[in-house]
Amino acid sequence: MHRRTLRRTQPRTQPRTHRRTALAVSAALLAAAPLLTACGNDAHPGAAAVVGGERIDVASLQAQVKDVREAQAASPESAQLVAATGDLSRRKLNSMIFDRVVEKVARDNGVTASRAELQQTRTAFVRQSGGEDRLAAALLQEQGVAPGQIDGVVRRNVLLNKIAAEVGADDSPEGQKKLTDVFTAASKDLAIDVNPRFGAWDDAQIRLAAASTPWLRQISKAPEAVGPGA
């Protein structure tokens, strides 16, 4: 199966540079790391991480992982999907933390996502992917996203696009640095504390330290999307 990304599935009305920036940020959350099943650390029993004083419980993380594994098990390509996401626990935690950073940056910059914007974006994803089933299959394969988690991906992309536009970020080195600085500042403000079993959070790179690829370096390297029939 050819690889595909969601980079071209944004509403056509959004600026190309902002769209590429936001989608690259989202895709870069999938950096590789070992599969871990964690207990709580001494400071925060039962927590996978604490972000801005709010816990991400191990149980919540495990529930997200379980949803993905169940979706993978129902796929004809189950074995390949599971093998490709052996790092799923850390990937999902990375994503869950990053989403909280995105929400803070959005609040700080007066950015919101209306119900109409979310629906418009999801409709565009579905249409340009060739249908709901194909969208779900692509997200499961490429990002380890279960069908019930798609709305979260939609919201993340809407907010990222609007944040990029609000702060004036584009694909230039200056634009990338501007966006990095905004997210790094928010990440530091949240005082992110990760259970050591999952690694440590890197404020400068906006990711778990074990992840192999800094998020902004993906901006100009995102693979080209393929047609829905590929």
Side-chain angles (χ1 to χ4, degrees), residues 7-46:
R7 183 168 59 84
R8 291 183 183 172
T9 59
Q10 293 295 310
R12 299 182 185 276
T13 57
Q14 294 174 347
R16 177 178 293 274
T17 54
H18 296 155
R19 180 170 66 250
R20 292 182 62 225
T21 299
L23 292 177
V25 172
S26 182
L29 299 177
L30 306 180
L35 174 66
L36 297 174
T37 54
C39 298
N41 57 21
D42 292 338
H44 307 287

Side-chain angles (χ1 to χ4, degrees), residues 3 25 33 37 44 54 76 82 120 141 155 160 182 189 206:
R3 292 177 62 82
V25 172
T37 54
H44 307 287
E54 297 183 359
V82 172
Q120 178 189 20
Q141 179 185 20
R155 178 175 177 81
L160 285 171
V182 169
D189 286 347
I206 329 297

Side-chain angles (χ1 to χ4, degrees), residues 80-220:
Q80 297 95 313
L81 292 175
V82 172
T85 54
D87 60 337
L88 188 56
S89 287
R90 191 170 292 173
R91 283 190 179 188
K92 299 307 286 188
L93 180 58
N94 194 37
S95 180
M96 293 170 79
I97 295 172
F98 185 77
D99 280 345
R100 284 158 175 76
V101 179
V102 171
E103 294 287 347
K104 175 171 174 53
V105 174
R107 288 193 303 271
D108 291 348
N109 287 275
V111 169
T112 59
S114 70
R115 183 175 300 178
E117 288 171 325
L118 297 176
Q119 184 59 53
Q120 178 189 20
T121 300
R122 177 152 185 161
T123 298
F125 281 6
V126 170
R127 181 179 64 251
Q128 296 180 32
S129 296
E132 187 77 39
D133 290 345
R134 288 188 177 183
L135 172 62
L139 283 171
L140 183 63
Q141 179 185 20
E142 300 296 333
Q143 298 192 31
V145 173
Q149 298 166 359
I150 293 176
D151 284 345
V153 174
V154 171
R155 178 175 177 81
R156 180 191 309 150
N157 277 276
V158 170
L159 290 176
L160 285 171
N161 280 322
K162 296 181 74 172
I163 289 168
E166 181 67 24
V167 303
D170 54 27
D171 291 339
S172 69
E174 294 79 9
Q176 295 182 34
K177 183 178 185 304
K178 184 181 296 185
L179 198 61
T180 300
D181 290 346
V182 169
F183 274 80
T184 294
S187 181
K188 289 179 178 179
D189 286 347
L190 289 171
I192 298 166
D193 180 18
V194 177
N195 187 315
R197 292 176 179 266
F198 293 98
W201 185 256
D202 186 332
D203 290 319
Q205 300 296 337
I206 329 297
R207 59 175 172 85
L208 284 173
S212 61
T213 307
W215 58 290
L216 278 177
R217 292 184 186 175
Q218 292 295 309
I219 287 176
S220 61

